[in-house]
Tab-separated table of all heavy atoms in Angstrom:
chain	number	residue	atom	x	y	z
B	289	ASN	N	34.966	-6.699	13.574
B	289	ASN	CA	33.730	-7.271	14.126
B	289	ASN	C	33.950	-8.777	14.330
B	289	ASN	O	34.144	-9.508	13.357
B	289	ASN	CB	32.556	-7.032	13.175
B	289	ASN	CG	31.256	-7.614	13.709
B	289	ASN	OD1	31.172	-8.028	14.868
B	289	ASN	ND2	30.239	-7.639	12.873
B	290	PRO	N	33.901	-9.243	15.557
B	290	PRO	CA	34.179	-10.664	15.802
B	290	PRO	C	32.987	-11.577	15.505
B	290	PRO	O	33.127	-12.796	15.560
B	290	PRO	CB	34.511	-10.693	17.299
B	290	PRO	CG	33.741	-9.548	17.877
B	290	PRO	CD	33.627	-8.514	16.807
B	291	ASP	N	31.814	-10.987	15.202
B	291	ASP	CA	30.584	-11.796	15.072
B	291	ASP	C	29.909	-11.583	13.722
B	291	ASP	O	28.686	-11.418	13.666
B	291	ASP	CB	29.577	-11.411	16.168
B	291	ASP	CG	30.190	-11.378	17.540
B	291	ASP	OD1	30.850	-12.350	17.890
B	291	ASP	OD2	30.003	-10.372	18.247
B	292	THR	N	30.662	-11.620	12.643
B	292	THR	CA	30.049	-11.330	11.343
B	292	THR	C	28.909	-12.302	11.039
B	292	THR	O	27.835	-11.881	10.588
B	292	THR	CB	31.113	-11.404	10.234
B	292	THR	OG1	32.138	-10.464	10.548
B	292	THR	CG2	30.532	-11.057	8.883
B	293	SER	N	29.124	-13.583	11.280
B	293	SER	CA	28.082	-14.575	10.979
B	293	SER	C	26.840	-14.335	11.831
B	293	SER	O	25.714	-14.314	11.326
B	293	SER	CB	28.604	-15.988	11.228
B	293	SER	OG	29.607	-16.308	10.315
B	294	ARG	N	27.050	-14.133	13.116
B	294	ARG	CA	25.919	-13.902	14.025
B	294	ARG	C	25.173	-12.631	13.609
B	294	ARG	O	23.938	-12.586	13.591
B	294	ARG	CB	26.445	-13.777	15.466
B	294	ARG	CG	25.386	-13.550	16.511
B	294	ARG	CD	25.340	-12.083	16.913
B	294	ARG	NE	24.157	-11.812	17.731
B	294	ARG	CZ	23.467	-10.698	17.662
B	294	ARG	NH1	23.809	-9.735	16.842
B	294	ARG	NH2	22.401	-10.523	18.412
B	295	ASP	N	25.945	-11.595	13.249
B	295	ASP	CA	25.324	-10.307	12.936
B	295	ASP	C	24.552	-10.332	11.619
B	295	ASP	O	23.513	-9.666	11.497
B	295	ASP	CB	26.388	-9.203	12.909
B	295	ASP	CG	26.827	-8.798	14.305
B	295	ASP	OD1	26.276	-9.369	15.287
B	295	ASP	OD2	27.719	-7.934	14.434
B	296	ILE	N	25.038	-11.096	10.632
B	296	ILE	CA	24.300	-11.143	9.364
B	296	ILE	C	22.989	-11.919	9.568
B	296	ILE	O	21.960	-11.594	8.957
B	296	ILE	CB	25.157	-11.720	8.206
B	296	ILE	CG1	24.490	-11.425	6.855
B	296	ILE	CG2	25.390	-13.211	8.331
B	296	ILE	CD1	24.501	-9.989	6.449
B	297	VAL	N	23.018	-12.908	10.458
B	297	VAL	CA	21.777	-13.629	10.779
B	297	VAL	C	20.816	-12.679	11.514
B	297	VAL	O	19.608	-12.668	11.247
B	297	VAL	CB	22.070	-14.893	11.619
B	297	VAL	CG1	20.776	-15.561	12.082
B	297	VAL	CG2	22.904	-15.887	10.813
B	298	ALA	N	21.379	-11.854	12.404
B	298	ALA	CA	20.535	-10.871	13.113
B	298	ALA	C	19.918	-9.888	12.123
B	298	ALA	O	18.757	-9.479	12.279
B	298	ALA	CB	21.352	-10.133	14.163
B	299	LEU	N	20.676	-9.520	11.087
B	299	LEU	CA	20.160	-8.579	10.088
B	299	LEU	C	19.005	-9.202	9.296
B	299	LEU	O	17.964	-8.552	9.090
B	299	LEU	CB	21.294	-8.135	9.152
B	299	LEU	CG	20.895	-7.261	7.957
B	299	LEU	CD1	20.118	-6.018	8.365
B	299	LEU	CD2	22.146	-6.840	7.166
B	300	VAL	N	19.168	-10.443	8.851
B	300	VAL	CA	18.054	-11.049	8.090
B	300	VAL	C	16.858	-11.318	9.011
B	300	VAL	O	15.712	-11.230	8.575
B	300	VAL	CB	18.461	-12.329	7.306
B	300	VAL	CG1	19.298	-11.965	6.105
B	300	VAL	CG2	19.125	-13.363	8.159
B	301	HIS	N	17.129	-11.586	10.289
B	301	HIS	CA	16.024	-11.735	11.244
B	301	HIS	C	15.231	-10.431	11.334
B	301	HIS	O	13.996	-10.426	11.318
B	301	HIS	CB	16.572	-12.138	12.621
B	301	HIS	CG	15.533	-12.169	13.700
B	301	HIS	ND1	15.412	-11.168	14.647
B	301	HIS	CD2	14.541	-13.048	13.967
B	301	HIS	CE1	14.396	-11.448	15.448
B	301	HIS	NE2	13.860	-12.581	15.060
B	302	ALA	N	15.951	-9.313	11.401
B	302	ALA	CA	15.278	-8.001	11.452
B	302	ALA	C	14.466	-7.783	10.181
B	302	ALA	O	13.325	-7.291	10.234
B	302	ALA	CB	16.308	-6.886	11.625
B	303	MET	N	15.028	-8.164	9.036
B	303	MET	CA	14.305	-7.959	7.770
B	303	MET	C	13.094	-8.881	7.647
B	303	MET	O	12.097	-8.510	7.032
B	303	MET	CB	15.251	-8.145	6.578
B	303	MET	CG	16.106	-6.919	6.289
B	303	MET	SD	15.157	-5.372	6.132
B	303	MET	CE	14.204	-5.680	4.640
B	304	GLU	N	13.177	-10.087	8.222
B	304	GLU	CA	11.992	-10.964	8.231
B	304	GLU	C	10.876	-10.297	9.045
B	304	GLU	O	9.709	-10.313	8.658
B	304	GLU	CB	12.323	-12.337	8.826
B	304	GLU	CG	13.277	-13.199	7.987
B	304	GLU	CD	12.649	-13.765	6.719
B	304	GLU	OE1	11.464	-13.500	6.459
B	304	GLU	OE2	13.369	-14.449	5.984
B	305	ASN	N	11.256	-9.720	10.185
B	305	ASN	CA	10.253	-9.032	11.005
B	305	ASN	C	9.673	-7.818	10.276
B	305	ASN	O	8.465	-7.544	10.370
B	305	ASN	CB	10.860	-8.603	12.345
B	305	ASN	CG	10.987	-9.771	13.307
B	305	ASN	OD1	10.174	-10.693	13.287
B	305	ASN	ND2	12.014	-9.756	14.137
B	306	ILE	N	10.517	-7.108	9.541
B	306	ILE	CA	10.027	-5.964	8.756
B	306	ILE	C	9.045	-6.455	7.686
B	306	ILE	O	8.019	-5.829	7.429
B	306	ILE	CB	11.214	-5.195	8.124
B	306	ILE	CG1	11.945	-4.381	9.198
B	306	ILE	CG2	10.752	-4.286	6.981
B	306	ILE	CD1	11.160	-3.227	9.803
B	307	GLY	N	9.359	-7.597	7.084
B	307	GLY	CA	8.448	-8.169	6.087
B	307	GLY	C	7.085	-8.486	6.702
B	307	GLY	O	6.045	-8.115	6.160
B	308	VAL	N	7.110	-9.146	7.847
B	308	VAL	CA	5.859	-9.501	8.540
B	308	VAL	C	5.064	-8.224	8.846
B	308	VAL	O	3.862	-8.142	8.579
B	308	VAL	CB	6.160	-10.259	9.857
B	308	VAL	CG1	4.883	-10.487	10.658
B	308	VAL	CG2	6.854	-11.582	9.579
B	309	GLN	N	5.735	-7.240	9.385
B	309	GLN	CA	5.058	-5.997	9.783
B	309	GLN	C	4.527	-5.225	8.576
B	309	GLN	O	3.485	-4.567	8.672
B	309	GLN	CB	6.009	-5.112	10.580
B	309	GLN	CG	6.381	-5.690	11.931
B	309	GLN	CD	7.100	-4.677	12.805
B	309	GLN	OE1	7.178	-3.499	12.490
B	309	GLN	NE2	7.625	-5.132	13.925
B	310	THR	N	5.258	-5.298	7.466
B	310	THR	CA	4.804	-4.603	6.252
B	310	THR	C	3.457	-5.162	5.807
B	310	THR	O	2.504	-4.417	5.566
B	310	THR	CB	5.849	-4.749	5.137
B	310	THR	OG1	7.077	-4.151	5.563
B	310	THR	CG2	5.393	-4.064	3.852
B	311	TYR	N	3.367	-6.472	5.716
B	311	TYR	CA	2.101	-7.093	5.298
B	311	TYR	C	0.998	-6.813	6.323
B	311	TYR	O	-0.140	-6.506	5.970
B	311	TYR	CB	2.272	-8.600	5.106
B	311	TYR	CG	3.032	-8.971	3.854
B	311	TYR	CD1	4.339	-9.435	3.910
B	311	TYR	CD2	2.440	-8.848	2.599
B	311	TYR	CE1	5.042	-9.776	2.762
B	311	TYR	CE2	3.136	-9.189	1.444
B	311	TYR	CZ	4.433	-9.648	1.532
B	311	TYR	OH	5.122	-9.966	0.383
B	312	GLN	N	1.342	-6.966	7.596
B	312	GLN	CA	0.336	-6.734	8.640
B	312	GLN	C	-0.168	-5.284	8.581
B	312	GLN	O	-1.371	-5.033	8.702
B	312	GLN	CB	0.923	-7.039	10.018
B	312	GLN	CG	-0.117	-6.991	11.124
B	312	GLN	CD	0.505	-7.089	12.512
B	312	GLN	OE1	1.463	-7.847	12.727
B	312	GLN	NE2	-0.021	-6.324	13.447
B	313	GLY	N	0.744	-4.356	8.385
B	313	GLY	CA	0.362	-2.943	8.304
B	313	GLY	C	-0.502	-2.650	7.083
B	313	GLY	O	-1.390	-1.802	7.137
B	314	PHE	N	-0.246	-3.348	5.976
B	314	PHE	CA	-1.007	-3.108	4.743
B	314	PHE	C	-2.454	-3.583	4.866
B	314	PHE	O	-3.301	-3.168	4.081
B	314	PHE	CB	-0.342	-3.811	3.559
B	314	PHE	CG	0.889	-3.100	3.040
B	314	PHE	CD1	1.672	-3.672	2.042
B	314	PHE	CD2	1.275	-1.867	3.533
B	314	PHE	CE1	2.807	-3.030	1.559
B	314	PHE	CE2	2.410	-1.212	3.066
B	314	PHE	CZ	3.175	-1.800	2.071
B	315	VAL	N	-2.736	-4.465	5.819
B	315	VAL	CA	-4.103	-4.983	5.980
B	315	VAL	C	-5.099	-3.832	6.164
B	315	VAL	O	-6.207	-3.863	5.639
B	315	VAL	CB	-4.170	-5.983	7.156
B	315	VAL	CG1	-5.604	-6.190	7.639
B	315	VAL	CG2	-3.573	-7.318	6.732
B	316	ALA	N	-4.679	-2.810	6.896
B	316	ALA	CA	-5.589	-1.690	7.165
B	316	ALA	C	-5.814	-0.828	5.929
B	316	ALA	O	-6.760	-0.038	5.894
B	316	ALA	CB	-5.032	-0.833	8.287
B	317	THR	N	-4.966	-0.968	4.921
B	317	THR	CA	-5.044	-0.097	3.743
B	317	THR	C	-5.556	-0.816	2.502
B	317	THR	O	-6.162	-0.198	1.628
B	317	THR	CB	-3.652	0.509	3.452
B	317	THR	OG1	-3.042	0.892	4.681
B	317	THR	CG2	-3.758	1.751	2.588
B	318	LEU	N	-5.286	-2.123	2.397
B	318	LEU	CA	-5.773	-2.869	1.239
B	318	LEU	C	-7.298	-2.823	1.219
B	318	LEU	O	-7.941	-2.981	2.263
B	318	LEU	CB	-5.287	-4.325	1.290
B	318	LEU	CG	-3.793	-4.540	1.009
B	318	LEU	CD1	-3.368	-5.950	1.411
B	318	LEU	CD2	-3.456	-4.282	-0.451
Side-chain angles (χ1 to χ4, degrees):
Chain B
N289 180 10
D291 311 310
T292 302
S293 293
R294 181 259 169 217
D295 284 359
I296 194 70
V297 174
L299 174 55
V300 287
H301 174 257
M303 279 308 294
E304 292 288 0
N305 283 328
I306 286 293
V308 173
Q309 293 191 9
T310 299
Y311 286 106
Q312 187 189 321
F314 283 174
V315 161
T317 318
L318 288 166

